[in-house]
Amino acid sequence: MTVIIDMDVSGHEEYAGHQTVVKAYDPASGLVAFIAVHDTTIGPSLGGCRFWNRYNSEDEALTDALRLSRGMTYKNALARLPLGGGKAVIMAKPDAKAPTQEELKAFGRAVDFLNGEYITAEDVGVCVEDMMVIREVTEHVSGLPSDHDEITGGDPSPYTAYGVFLGIQASVKHKLGKDSLKDVRVAVAGLGHVGMDLCRRLHEAGAKLIVSDIRSDAMDTAASQYGAKTCKPDDFMALDVDVLAPCALGGVVNDDTIETIKAPIIAGAANNQLARSEHGTILHDKGILYAPDYVINAGGVISVAMSGQSVDKTMERLEELGETLAAIFRQSERLNLPTSVVADKIAEKIVEEAALENSGDVMQEKKQAS
Ligand code: NAD
């Protein structure tokens, strides 16, 4: 049986008006998970479920869920999806590599308890097959595989990679005035599901690649298939290239790296690239163009939200990402504000407008009822 505890997190330092936060645990499977619903003004909250074995405490896991769920509200709003923001994290044991079926079902029961307020999907450590297991106990699951190539579904990573590719194109056009990526020097850190597919697209577009990963086999693949040069992970942020595309971990723009960055553009898939929001301001002041992470990496959630629709239609929606980024870059220039701040302001405005619209609808309903 999954035990579900409604949490009062209003005193937590990452609290940002979160609507619902629950802790779920199941003694039989060993599941310990947190589900955070940040905001459902625009629609039910959608966000992946993360399985992570490096949380040192329950508070670290909760902190992650609170931060990430808020980010999902902004991401979904800016991607113009009819969805709010939520996120789940499963606290894995230090030696656990993947969730067990029992853990997934126990987690699914917690998702089901929320009755559609939160829709789950894949995230780090959780794959499409895991979603199929969760689907056995709740219908509030997205990112399921499709049984036809032309229908959107399954692993969101290729869509994320395409969105990042479009975002790099938009960034290069804005900052370097180039319409093509031919001979543009792009460095990609993290050659996983997103990074490797991004390398393929960049290589096809004629970019010159430098790659880095903690897995030497992945670097060898990128070198042999895409002519990439390689570098050590520790040297990545200081590379003398046109574009840095962090596609591994968050927090890469931090107090230690920020003064070493030479690239004029940072545009990659990793979530939470800025260690602190002030780093966005420092990048802006240094004239470095930063493509806000939750905007450029929204391709995956767009594909999840468009599960079951045609791939062509999803690709069309992804094209809008480049335009959204270009608009953020122009506004950042006009207002002399960091791109990260501009993106947040636009997202907050979209949510506020939806709230006004909702209250207008309620007024209308009351009027009609009286
Ligand atoms: P992944 O786990 O498939 O790949 C991550 C890669 O980074 C691995 O190859 C790993 O070896 C490498 N890596 C780990 N530490 C490293 C380091 N210090 N330096 C260089 N490489 C390192 O993950 P993914 O699905 O490709 O996602 C990558 C990033 O993009 C994550 O931050 C994720 O949150 C974000 N993201 C992914 C998606 C998606 O659709 N998969 C969507 C949005 C955001």
Side-chain angles (χ1 to χ4, degrees):
M1 198 187 76
T2 308
V3 180
I4 295 157
I5 300 166
D6 206 352
M7 299 182 77
D8 175 4
V9 292
S10 54
H12 197 282
E13 58 174 9
E14 288 297 337
Y15 174 70
H18 290 75
Q19 252 174 245
T20 305
V21 180
V22 296
K23 174 182 169 184
Y25 73 94
D26 171 46
S29 65
L31 173 87
V32 179
F34 293 92
I35 304 177
V37 174
H38 175 246
D39 193 290
T40 59
T41 306
I42 301 182
S45 72
L46 171 73
C49 167
R50 176 166 290 192
F51 180 85
W52 191 243
N53 63 6
R54 288 182 229 159
Y55 294 123
N56 292 312
S57 64
E58 288 198 3
D59 189 58
E60 264 187 32
L62 173 65
T63 299
D64 220 15
L66 294 176
R67 274 190 83 183
L68 291 164
S69 59
R70 178 170 182 249
M72 287 309 298
T73 299
Y74 286 58
K75 181 188 283 206
N76 292 341
L78 260 172
R80 297 282 176 186
L81 295 170
L83 295 164
K87 199 89 184 179
V89 301
I90 297 179
M91 266 186 90
K93 300 199 175 56
D95 54 346
K97 297 270 181 290
T100 62
Q101 297 228 345
E102 289 67 35
E103 266 178 307
L104 290 168
K105 284 185 192 163
F107 169 72
R109 288 193 288 274
V111 172
D112 203 57
F113 171 83
L114 292 172
N115 205 16
E117 192 181 350
Y118 168 68
I119 304 167
T120 198
E122 300 89 345
D123 195 59
V124 177
V126 177
C127 63
V128 177
E129 288 71 28
D130 297 332
M131 288 298 125
M132 310 268 286
V133 176
I134 296 172
R135 178 73 183 83
E136 289 175 31
V137 293
T138 180
E139 62 181 290
H140 306 297
V141 180
S142 205
L144 295 166
S146 81
D147 37 20
H148 200 294
D149 280 356
E150 284 159 30
I151 300 297
T152 310
D155 181 10
S157 309
Y159 295 97
T160 304
Y162 183 50
V164 174
F165 173 78
L166 294 169
I168 290 176
Q169 275 184 328
S171 307
V172 165
K173 183 159 171 63
H174 183 85
K175 185 75 187 172
L176 308 178
K178 292 186 182 176
D179 285 318
S180 154
L181 292 182
K182 177 130 185 43
D183 294 330
V184 172
R185 297 163 305 153
V186 186
V188 180
L191 301 168
H193 292 91
V194 177
M196 195 63 96
D197 200 43
L198 174 65
C199 286
R200 175 184 65 79
R201 287 192 178 274
L202 291 167
H203 175 66
E204 283 168 10
K208 299 223 174 308
L209 292 174
I210 302 183
V211 297
S212 120
D213 198 290
I214 48 171
R215 293 186 297 128
S216 59
D217 59 320
M219 289 208 281
D220 293 345
T221 304
S224 65
Q225 294 195 5
Y226 310 127
K229 291 187 179 154
T230 59
C231 83
K232 290 195 197 115
D234 284 351
D235 298 338
F236 176 79
M237 291 305 287
L239 285 173
D240 185 7
V241 290
D242 298 310
V243 182
L244 288 178
C247 297
L249 310 173
V252 287
V253 179
N254 54 43
D255 291 342
D256 294 334
T257 59
I258 200 146
E259 289 309 325
T260 70
I261 299 172
K262 299 183 194 74
I265 296 169
I266 300 178
N271 277 315
N272 299 327
Q273 289 170 40
L274 306 178
R276 294 195 313 279
S277 56
E278 304 89 271
H279 292 120
T281 308
I282 303 174
L283 289 179
H284 178 72
D285 293 346
K286 283 167 69 87
I288 296 170
L289 183 69
Y290 170 62
D293 45 17
Y294 66 79
V295 185
I296 192 170
N297 72 16
V301 76
I302 291 174
S303 81
V304 167
M306 294 194 65
S307 291
Q309 302 198 39
S310 79
V311 169
D312 287 349
K313 215 166 168 192
T314 304
M315 290 315 229
E316 263 172 43
R317 280 300 307 274
L318 291 185
E319 302 279 339
E320 291 170 19
L321 279 182
E323 288 154 30
T324 303
L325 277 169
I328 290 170
F329 297 157
R330 285 194 298 272
Q331 201 161 327
S332 152
E333 234 168 49
R334 202 170 59 243
L335 303 175
N336 191 21
L337 282 174
T339 52
S340 46
V341 172
V342 170
D344 285 359
K345 280 183 184 298
I346 298 174
E348 282 157 11
K349 193 152 176 262
I350 293 170
V351 178
E352 270 165 32
E353 280 171 3
L356 273 177
E357 219 169 274
N358 291 350
S359 65
D361 290 347
V362 171
M363 299 274 277
Q364 189 78 15
E365 275 166 26
K366 277 190 182 159
K367 228 177 179 177
Q368 278 168 358
S370 63

